[in-house]
Amino acid sequence: MEEKREALFGKTLNQLETVVKELELPRFTAAQIADWLYKKDVTAIEEMTNLSKAAREKLTSRFEVGLSDPVKVQTSVDGTKKYLYRARNGKFIETAYMPERNRHTLCVSSQVGCKMGCLFCFTAKQGFQGNLSAGEILNQIRSLPERHQLTNIVYMGMGEPFDNMEGVMQSLEILTSDYGFGMSPRRITVSTIGIIPAMKVFLEESTCHLAVSLHSPFEEERRRLMPIEHVYSLTEVLEAIRSFPLGKQRRISFEYIVFKDLNHSPRHVKELARILNGIRCRINLLRFHPVPGTPLQAPDDATLGEFKTALENKGIVTTIRKSRGQDIYAACGLLSTKEQQVI
Amino acid sequence: MKSLTKVTIISNLEVAPGAYVLSFPRSFEFVPGQVIGIAMNPADKPRLYSIASGNKENVVRILYTVKPEGKLTPDLARLHAGDTIYVSEPFGGFICDEQKAVWVATGTGIAPFSSMFYSGLGKNKTLIQGNRFANGLYFRDDFEKEMGPRYVPSCTREQVAGVYHGRVLKYLSEKKDLDLSVKYYLCGSAEMVVDVRDLLIERGMPFENVVAEIFF
Ligand SMILES: Cc1cc2nc3c(=O)[nH]c(=O)nc-3n(C[C@H](O)[C@H](O)[C@H](O)COP(=O)(O)OP(=O)(O)OC[C@H]3O[C@@H](n4cnc5c(N)ncnc54)[C@H](O)[C@@H]3O)c2cc1C
Ligand code: SF4
């Protein structure tokens, strides 16, 4: 089989400068390459027409642009599309495109599978199969047919972003830099289950929004849902967030999957109000959609509504995230698991 | 991460190919099952290790395997008695009481259970330990001696007398009389934890009774 050449797509300007130095090309070539990679729709080095022929040949000897189109798409009646991409290790990852009237959100994956083992998650059942490079994360955006309509990016797909800091931070740099996609960090949210050391680095080095998966305010209960609680407790996650000056623009949100008869009682409301006191934040409620083999169940609409009202009565800004794409394999990890089993 | 303190290594022994037990003097209290952060230098990002020794011992031991491409473990494996490393205070909530329970571990995931065992918590526990080869059944002799039939060693890549041949998942799935009234503590890779947890839940165990720690 032909050896894959290294991808240029996903390299930061600094890394491109190293590449051109190694190839003994003029330094300004790096900025030209970045421009072709991130601002124009080229798919091959030969299309970088303001580079000399010799430069293109040198680049082609070791590199390729490295984009890859989605291999499958499923479209829901509500317009949600689930794209399946092939990662460079041959495994599959999922990307969900969710169009709304004036907000078009893309949910990207950061790993193939995941190590975190959350009880309610289907991706967890794949185990960990590898980190995505910055290029593979950004390819989910760049190779999306609807890329020009996108308004928001959320890192909430497969994997725990803060278990792949290298790929995630590099992709954020390219997304938000002038030399890159030039996107506002206010349109990007990274979601974590609370890996504290990496979360602190993210808070310091990036200005993108942060979402933390909460799911229960009680340590004992959260522990049963999310093994990470044994290592980095929610109390310490909140302490770390509290101790960081967030400024006016930056948003912290808490993702809260509601499970039937488990985590929506008045006791939960009271405890959530207590632990979130003093943090400028909002809670996004998500209805749980049962995945195969889970012991957890979905709540009904009334329960979700009552829980939202109870939280709002405590002064917590609360939204209910619309369930999207229920008629397709929208629960993250379902589609790729199916595909992973086929290969 | 908690603040780091310099400690001097007492020993760093290879106990199986690529697996080491490192020890240093104990200067803190801990609860068996807790972890510490370890770094070569105070400015490095520490990696986490479960304490493998008992909470009354004078030394702290950790058990680790070398990840050839890893940042810390290849350097750690080169250290000798008298060299120094930086360690954090212990933390973490993967802890176990004196109630009857089942411990399931693969690879270095045995470390928190060995700490519990050497701290005297092994009396009414069943331990199912797995690894690829029998030489990766760390601390096996001690478990065998104290726990007798309550200790189930298993390995996947070789057949050895007295050792179950196959994955811990297979062992558990073949067991018709799983005690579903006790807690199961699982520690090791994400794959093992998720697969065993799914099996137990499928067999009717309430998910509250499955306590898991993953070495991510
Ligand atoms: C709660 C907890 C307890 C733990 N307890 C123990 C224990 O008792 N014993 C033990 O041995 N381990 C334990 N670990 C694992 C330990 O913390 C380290 O992760 C492990 O020792 C590897 O460290 P390292 O610095 O050598 O490798 P790392 O540099 O962290 O790399 C780990 C592996 O990932 C690969 N890798 C690194 N970066 C990338 C990348 N960007 N893309 C793809 N792959 C990459 C490397 O090739 C390597 O194989 C525990 C982990 C946790 C979370
Ligand atoms: S919920 Fe997120 S962190 Fe947890 S297992 Fe699934 S992908 Fe990983």
Side-chain angles (χ1 to χ4, degrees):
Chain A
M1 212 171 83
E2 199 194 324
E3 182 93 345
K4 261 209 162 150
R5 279 168 292 162
E6 203 183 318
L8 284 176
F9 188 78
K11 288 197 186 291
T12 61
L13 188 55
N14 261 338
Q15 291 170 327
L16 290 172
E17 279 168 359
T18 309
V19 167
V20 299
K21 197 168 167 200
E22 277 169 20
L23 296 177
E24 296 175 343
L25 296 171
R27 190 154 177 238
F28 63 79
T29 319
Q32 288 177 316
I33 299 173
D35 195 58
W36 285 111
L37 290 174
Y38 305 127
K39 299 214 185 293
K40 300 182 177 130
D41 275 356
V42 299
T43 54
I45 291 169
E46 300 82 74
E47 294 169 47
M48 300 180 179
T49 47
N50 64 351
L51 267 56
S52 68
K53 190 157 183 286
R56 279 180 273 155
E57 273 168 10
K58 272 190 180 173
L59 277 169
T60 311
S61 66
R62 275 186 41 200
F63 298 95
E64 60 181 352
V65 169
L67 295 173
S68 86
D69 286 333
V71 290
K72 205 178 231 180
V73 57
Q74 289 185 324
T75 307
S76 159
V77 286
D78 67 14
T80 299
K81 287 186 180 173
K82 182 133 231 188
Y83 286 98
L84 197 70
Y85 286 96
R86 195 188 276 273
R88 284 172 87 85
N89 68 2
K91 303 281 182 182
F92 293 95
I93 51 161
E94 298 174 20
T95 309
Y97 169 64
M98 296 164 285
E100 277 171 299
R101 207 176 310 155
N102 39 25
R103 198 184 156 97
H104 294 246
T105 307
L106 190 72
C107 176
V108 296
S109 294
S110 55
Q111 297 181 310
V112 189
C114 185
K115 294 178 205 155
M116 302 301 150
C118 301
L119 179 68
F120 47 84
C121 173
F122 209 73
T123 298
K125 296 188 193 295
Q126 289 187 10
F128 176 68
Q129 315 207 35
N131 278 329
L132 294 182
S133 66
E136 289 170 310
I137 295 172
L138 294 171
N139 179 64
Q140 299 167 65
I141 302 165
R142 169 62 182 77
S143 296
L144 186 85
E146 297 83 358
R147 62 185 170 280
H148 297 300
Q149 276 111 62
L150 288 180
T151 58
N152 296 70
I153 309 284
V154 294
Y155 284 62
M156 289 186 190
M158 296 168 70
E160 161 54 40
F162 292 166
D163 189 39
N164 177 16
M165 278 301 268
E166 201 181 313
V168 167
M169 293 304 283
Q170 201 171 307
S171 66
L172 291 176
E173 176 187 324
I174 296 167
L175 270 179
T176 55
S177 296
D178 286 342
Y179 75 78
F181 289 72
M183 227 178 140
S184 162
R186 308 300 171 209
R187 297 196 167 274
I188 303 169
T189 303
V190 181
S191 171
T192 179
I193 57 169
I195 299 185
I196 297 173
M199 186 181 82
K200 284 184 174 165
V201 173
F202 167 82
L203 285 172
E204 265 159 36
E205 294 182 5
S206 159
T207 50
C208 297
H209 298 311
L210 177 71
V212 176
S213 303
L214 209 157
H215 310 329
S216 172
F218 298 109
E219 290 197 1
E220 199 51 43
E221 193 169 74
R222 193 170 183 265
R223 212 169 264 179
R224 294 175 197 140
L225 297 169
M226 307 161 77
I228 189 73
E229 175 71 28
H230 284 128
V231 186
Y232 298 121
S233 72
L234 183 61
T235 310
E236 287 168 306
V237 171
L238 297 178
E239 236 169 65
I241 291 174
R242 268 202 187 86
S243 67
F244 193 84
L246 287 165
K248 284 213 171 67
Q249 300 285 314
R250 203 164 189 190
R251 198 173 58 223
I252 301 284
S253 53
F254 292 95
E255 305 294 304
Y256 198 98
I257 304 181
V258 182
F259 305 99
K260 187 182 173 197
D261 298 336
L262 188 83
N263 60 349
H264 52 78
S265 71
R267 205 169 61 92
H268 289 88
V269 174
K270 207 167 147 202
E271 186 63 2
L272 282 167
R274 191 186 72 76
I275 62 170
L276 297 181
N277 186 22
I279 302 179
R280 194 172 45 81
C281 64
R282 73 162 73 172
I283 294 191
N284 288 323
L285 300 181
L286 294 94
R287 178 206 302 275
F288 177 62
H289 290 284
V291 292
T294 174
L296 304 161
Q297 289 171 8
D300 55 28
D301 280 346
T303 304
L304 219 58
E306 282 159 20
F307 190 45
K308 175 180 189 281
T309 309
L311 289 169
E312 283 172 338
N313 288 343
K314 290 277 182 193
I316 304 174
V317 180
T318 310
T319 55
I320 298 180
R321 177 96 54 76
K322 255 198 268 167
S323 298
R324 306 289 312 243
Q326 281 316 297
D327 51 329
I328 56 174
Y329 288 105
C332 181
L334 277 175
L335 182 59
S336 57
T337 301
K338 212 166 141 259
E339 210 65 31
Q340 237 86 273
Q341 284 160 353
V342 173
I343 58 169
Chain B
M1 175 56 70
K2 326 271 178 222
S3 58
L4 298 174
T5 315
K6 192 161 149 178
V7 298
T8 302
I9 292 172
I10 298 174
S11 68
N12 188 26
L13 300 174
E14 189 165 14
V15 292
Y20 293 75
V21 172
L22 179 149
S23 63
F24 58 86
R26 181 167 72 88
S27 60
F28 49 70
E29 297 293 318
F30 69 92
V31 185
Q34 286 193 309
V35 299
I36 49 172
I38 296 189
M40 296 294 283
N41 299 294
D44 296 348
K45 182 184 161 229
R47 300 291 193 259
L48 303 186
Y49 295 90
S50 292
I51 298 173
S53 46
N55 60 356
K56 298 285 180 303
E57 298 183 48
N58 294 329
V59 297
V60 173
R61 283 188 301 279
I62 61 139
L63 164 72
Y64 66 95
T65 47
V66 174
K67 305 279 173 227
E69 311 274 305
K71 291 206 180 70
L72 176 65
T73 49
D75 288 346
L76 210 52
R78 281 192 278 272
L79 298 180
H80 299 285
D83 290 338
T84 55
I85 51 168
Y86 289 81
V87 304
S88 77
E89 326 155 14
F91 65 100
F94 185 66
I95 51 186
C96 166
D97 55 23
E98 304 209 331
Q99 307 270 311
K100 191 175 169 200
V102 178
W103 295 337
V104 184
T106 50
T108 50
I110 192 65
F113 300 123
S114 78
S115 177
M116 294 169 191
F117 171 84
Y118 292 119
S119 305
L121 287 168
K123 299 203 171 53
N124 48 3
K125 305 293 189 300
T126 298
L127 169 60
I128 303 162
Q129 181 183 19
N131 210 335
R132 274 174 290 183
F133 300 99
N135 61 15
L137 296 170
Y138 316 113
F139 319 119
R140 177 179 165 196
D141 292 348
D142 291 349
F143 296 142
E144 235 156 29
K145 204 159 81 196
E146 290 258 331
M147 301 179 91
R150 289 183 289 112
Y151 171 60
V152 182
S154 67
C155 60
T156 51
R157 299 270 178 94
E158 61 181 342
Q159 299 213 20
V160 179
V163 175
Y164 175 83
H165 181 58
R167 295 164 68 197
V168 294
L169 179 72
K170 184 163 159 271
Y171 172 80
L172 285 164
S173 60
E174 284 168 1
K175 236 178 129 43
K176 296 284 168 274
D177 56 343
L178 280 182
D179 185 354
L180 298 179
S181 66
V182 300
K183 280 195 173 158
Y184 277 67
Y185 291 81
L186 320 177
C187 186
S189 69
E191 287 84 343
M192 183 281 278
V193 165
V194 170
D195 288 349
V196 171
R197 188 177 61 195
D198 279 359
L199 171 82
L200 294 170
I201 289 170
E202 199 186 298
R203 295 282 278 271
M205 158 147 284
F207 71 86
E208 303 88 79
N209 284 356
V210 185
V211 188
E213 171 114 304
I214 293 174
F215 285 3
F216 58 82

